[in-house]
Structures are given as C-alpha cells and as structure tokens.
Amino acid sequence: MSNSNYYIELEEEYGAHNYHPLDVVIEKGEGVWVYDVDGNKYLDCLSAYSALNQGHNHPKIKEAMINQLDRLTLTSRAFRNDKLGLFYKKLSDMTGYEMSLPMNSGAEAVETAIKVARKWAYVTKKIPRYKAEIIVAEGNFHGRTTTIISFTTTEEYKYDFGPFTPGFPVVEYGSIEAIKAAINENTAAIMLEPLQGENGIILPPDGYLKAVAEICKENNILLIADEIQTGLGRTGALFASHHENVRPDITVIGKALSGGFYPVSAVLADKYILGLIQPGEHGSTFGGNPLAAAVGIAALEVIEEENLVEKAQKMGDYILEYLEEIPKKNIMDIRGKGLLIGVELKHELGGGTAFC
Ligand SMILES: *Cc1c(COP(=O)(O)O)cnc(C)c1O
C-alpha cells in the first residue's frame, strides 16, 4: 500500500466531498516542482489556478511572512497597523489605481466589487435604489458565494443552492451585440474575466474587451475586470486587460497576490469609486491584516524583481511551440495567453481542458 492511500482515506472519510481531486498527495513544493508522499516528483502545471505565479514556497515571500509572524499578525481594523499603508502604496504604485480595498478570498473581493459598483450606481449615477444591474457573461467564474452563484451558468454550482440574488443579466461571452442589447438605464456595471479561466481558457475575439470598455464609457457604466486568475503576470501582461490597452474602472485581484502563502485579495479602483465607501459600510476581520499586507508586498515585489510578466510571455510562447509538436491524435485544441494555456482533449476521451 502506498503512503498516499492513508491520506486519501482520511480525506474521504472525514472531509466533505466538495472536490474530487487527483489522488496525488503532495507534501512538498519548490518553484515549479511538487513532491508526493511516495517520493514522486511532478511539474505543477496548474499552480493553484494562478495563485502560485511566483512558484511554490518562494524564499523571499516566505522570509517576509516569517519576519512578520515574529512581530504581529492581526490587529483587526479597529486599529491601524504599520504594514497596511505600505501595501496600499505598493498596490497603487504598481497598478496605477488610486486606491484599493483588501479582502481575503477572491470571492470576497468580487462581492466587494459588486457592492462598490452598486454604491456608485445609487450615489453617483443616481439609478433608483435597488434597481442597479450588473451584466455578466455566460461561462463566468467569479467564486462560490450565494450572490455569485446566482449568476453562474454552470448548473452544478447553483441548482440546489437558491433562492438567488437578482440584478445580474447574463449575456453571451465575446458578443458586443449581446452587451448592447442588455444595457438599459439601470445598468451599473459590466463584469467580465478578460479571458475565462475556469471555463476552459476561453479567449474572446480580439478587440472584445476594448469594445466593451468603449460601450461602458459611452453609457456611463463601470467596467469591472475579474483578474483574480488572469492578473499579476500570468498572461504575459501585468493584467490581461493590458493586452487590449484597457484600464477597467475596477480590477479585482487575488490568488497570486500572496504567491500562495495566505489568502489575500483586493479591489482596485480610483477615488471616485472606492472613495464612496464610508466607515462601517463594509469590512472583514482579516482583510488588510499586517501578515497579509507583508506577504502581499513581497509577492508583488517578486513579480517585479524577477520580471515575471516578461517571463510568462517568453515561457508561454516556448511551451505553446512545444505543445504544437505533440501528436494531435488526442488533442482538440491548444489555446492561451502567456502562461495561462489550456489543452482541450477530444471529447470522446472525456473532454475537458487541462491546464498548462
Ligand atoms: C479563483 C477565482 C475566483 C474566486 O477566488 P477564491 O479565492 O477561490 O474565492 C474568482 N474569479 C476568478 C476569475 C477566479 O479564477
């Protein structure tokens, strides 16, 4: 019996079965490599869906985390701490947004973006109270909270979990016409992934995001980019929106914002949007804690210092070239941007898209 079986049985017996993982029990990771309890070594192509853009166990982020662990981990936001301001400044300097609002998981940051966009809709755009709509795309993935699954189009994510939150018209991903048809005077925002990750690395037609951004401008609608998976270098640009020279009004980040050490997410926007949030209206016990801030700063510095954005482009091109050489017998399609690449298997083999 391999060592793995013991751990697999524990998980199966005592844990909720909300995942169906591969039976690889990992005990150690370093850079792009992971090692299982039976001594096998694997190249981690999934990299926790972009949460490990800096690689497993990055020494610089680890050091920042340990240093902070020795000093202070949590104050709650009832007090200030000496790391949060530095984290805000780093986020602003690196992304060009005037402000940020830190949360923990990606879903929480998406929820925050939804709340902030609705606030802007009522206070600034003067949409009648509780009429604000946020247009989203078919095939979207924005997380797992009850509001977010209200507008998923993946049935298994939602069917036993209603009633659902209204206010989210769903349109075909990649279609400008569909967006135009869905807009009305109560449209507050359009929320999109610049490239759909969970849906199977789906790239919209060239120029799509640019055209959506223009429609948003013409109609006084906020563009929210969910860059939790595509952001922070993965696609060969700091943000995937940059491939089309788009600067969304709100950008949501998470995953690689901590390099895999700790849940850290954030909503990025300018003052005219994030400045609308008043004390008490939104919060999180752990959001913006000093440990998260220290880890976040280090994770961002690694992206800069190691030129991970350019590297993702170069390595992505290299891997795409290499993948092209694989016999096409079992492969339907290979697509991606930078190091966010999917290999779609032929559907008679069970289909699905493997990450690379
Ligand atoms: C992973 C992901 C989320 C949710 O993040 P969690 O940290 O799992 O809550 C939201 N949007 C996108 C695009 C993601 O890839």
Side-chain angles (χ1 to χ4, degrees):
M1 199 168 102
S2 72
N3 296 328
S4 298
N5 287 343
Y6 171 65
Y7 299 102
I8 293 165
E9 279 164 19
L10 284 178
E11 286 193 11
E12 292 302 304
E13 178 66 20
Y14 298 108
H17 295 182
N18 58 324
Y19 282 91
H20 183 58
L22 288 177
D23 284 338
V24 175
V25 181
I26 298 167
E27 65 171 4
K28 188 172 132 68
E30 199 172 16
V32 296
W33 303 104
V34 290
Y35 304 83
D36 74 9
V37 291
D38 292 310
N40 299 305
K41 180 181 180 181
Y42 304 86
L43 176 65
D44 183 0
C45 285
L46 188 56
S47 56
Y49 310 96
S50 294
L52 291 157
N53 288 358
Q54 299 88 340
H56 285 272
N57 215 353
H58 193 288
K60 174 172 171 146
I61 308 172
K62 179 163 72 182
E63 194 190 339
M65 185 157 183
I66 290 170
N67 286 340
Q68 191 58 39
L69 279 172
D70 282 337
R71 296 178 46 206
L72 180 72
T73 56
L74 182 64
T75 57
S76 87
R77 299 291 299 280
F79 306 113
R80 296 182 189 272
N81 70 69
D82 70 346
K83 285 290 172 298
L84 180 55
L86 299 172
F87 185 40
Y88 284 145
K89 175 91 169 45
K90 181 73 198 165
L91 276 170
S92 188
D93 288 348
M94 196 163 158
T95 68
Y97 285 101
E98 291 170 0
M99 288 185 146
S100 55
L101 195 162
M103 296 295 284
N104 312 285
S105 69
E108 284 177 313
V110 170
E111 288 274 350
T112 303
I114 290 168
K115 286 170 77 173
V116 167
R118 285 178 170 177
K119 174 103 192 176
W120 172 86
Y122 301 130
V123 173
T124 305
K125 188 167 175 177
K126 310 264 189 260
I127 290 175
R129 189 155 294 276
Y130 306 150
K131 296 282 184 215
E133 293 183 357
I134 297 176
I135 296 171
V136 297
E138 280 172 7
N140 70 72
F141 185 83
H142 298 290
R144 303 290 202 155
T145 63
T146 40
T147 283
I148 293 170
I149 59 147
S150 296
F151 53 83
T152 180
T153 55
T154 307
E155 276 304 306
E156 65 174 314
Y157 296 169
K158 75 186 291 183
Y159 55 68
D160 276 334
F161 305 118
F164 303 114
T165 309
F168 298 95
V170 182
V171 301
E172 185 190 336
Y173 186 61
S175 164
I176 298 299
E177 290 314 309
I179 282 186
K180 282 184 181 159
I183 288 174
N184 62 44
E185 68 280 6
N186 294 331
T187 306
I190 299 172
M191 179 163 71
L192 295 169
E193 299 153 86
L195 176 172
Q196 290 185 332
E198 294 297 305
N199 196 28
I201 318 291
I202 305 297
L203 296 138
D206 282 345
Y208 174 64
L209 201 68
K210 181 106 204 143
V212 175
E214 275 159 21
I215 292 170
C216 285
K217 220 156 243 123
E218 283 163 18
N219 293 279
N220 193 26
I221 292 167
L222 299 179
L223 176 59
I224 306 172
D226 180 346
E227 295 249 21
I228 291 169
Q229 186 161 156
T230 52
L232 302 178
R234 189 87 198 173
T235 69
L238 183 62
F239 294 123
S241 313
H242 291 178
H243 291 296
E244 300 211 341
N245 294 316
V246 168
R247 183 180 187 272
D249 302 289
I250 299 175
T251 291
V252 188
I253 56 175
K255 294 204 164 106
L257 186 51
S258 70
F261 280 83
Y262 195 83
V264 188
S265 63
V267 174
L268 309 169
D270 288 338
K271 281 185 183 158
Y272 76 96
I273 297 171
L274 274 179
L276 295 173
I277 293 289
Q278 301 300 312
E281 288 182 346
H282 187 62
S284 159
T285 302
F286 280 85
N289 73 71
L291 188 58
V295 165
I297 292 167
L300 292 171
E301 283 174 353
V302 167
I303 292 170
E304 284 180 328
E305 290 164 7
E306 299 186 10
N307 295 316
L308 293 188
V309 173
E310 294 79 28
K311 263 193 201 157
Q313 187 60 57
K314 266 201 205 132
M315 303 284 273
D317 289 346
Y318 168 77
I319 290 176
L320 268 182
E321 228 172 85
Y322 178 78
L323 287 171
E324 286 301 325
E325 289 171 21
I326 295 177
K328 294 290 172 303
K329 196 165 70 108
N330 300 328
I331 292 175
M332 203 162 98
D333 191 24
I334 298 171
R335 55 180 179 266
K337 257 204 165 85
L339 272 176
L340 192 56
I341 300 168
V343 177
E344 188 173 355
L345 301 177
K346 287 213 170 131
H347 289 203
E348 55 269 31
L349 291 168
T353 304
F355 280 78
C356 207

